[in-house]
């Protein structure tokens, strides 16, 4: 369980900020995980599997609703694609 949660934490920090909250919740039970925690962890894995086509978009015009203002920071996250 701890290895799985550690891998999920790595993914949440480096590549998948959308799972950060859920992984934080299950990581609180590293010392004494129960069946509910295993089920929740499996749901996170299933979510990752089902959303592999979603990506974070940087420096794009697709989600820029305010066209009058130019983005000062080109690396500012604009939304999910």
């Amino acid at each position: 369980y701890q290895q799985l949660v550690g891998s999920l934490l790595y993914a949440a920090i480096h590549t998948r900020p959308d799972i950060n909250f859920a992984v934080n919740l299950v990581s609180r039970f590293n010392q004494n995980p129960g069946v509910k925690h295993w089920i929740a962890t499996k749901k996170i894995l299933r979510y990752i599997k089902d959303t592999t086509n979603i990506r974070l978009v940087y420096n794009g015009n697709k989600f820029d609703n305010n066209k009058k203002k130019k983005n000062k920071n080109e690396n500012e996250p604009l939304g999910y694609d």
Side-chain angles (χ1 to χ4, degrees), residues 13 19 23 25 35 37 58 62 74 80:
I13 292 169
I19 64 169
V23 174
L25 285 178
V35 175
H37 307 112
Y58 290 94
K62 188 173 183 179
E74 290 184 0
Y80 284 97

Side-chain angles (χ1 to χ4, degrees), residues 1 5 21-33 37:
Y1 182 83
V5 171
F21 182 77
V23 174
N24 184 14
L25 285 178
V26 296
S27 70
R28 296 176 188 178
F29 301 96
N30 266 342
Q31 296 300 320
N32 191 17
H37 307 112

Side-chain angles (χ1 to χ4, degrees), residues 60-69 71 78:
N61 293 326
K62 188 173 183 179
F63 295 100
D64 190 8
N65 293 331
N66 191 1
K67 294 183 181 182
K68 292 179 184 176
K69 278 187 170 181
N71 287 336
L78 297 173

Side-chain angles (χ1 to χ4, degrees), residues 15-18 53-65 71 73-81:
T15 62
R16 296 296 300 253
D18 54 329
N53 60 340
I54 295 176
R55 63 185 185 266
L56 196 57
V57 177
Y58 290 94
N59 193 15
N61 293 326
K62 188 173 183 179
F63 295 100
D64 190 8
N65 293 331
N71 287 336
N73 183 1
E74 290 184 0
N75 292 325
E76 180 181 341
L78 297 173
Y80 284 97
D81 185 21

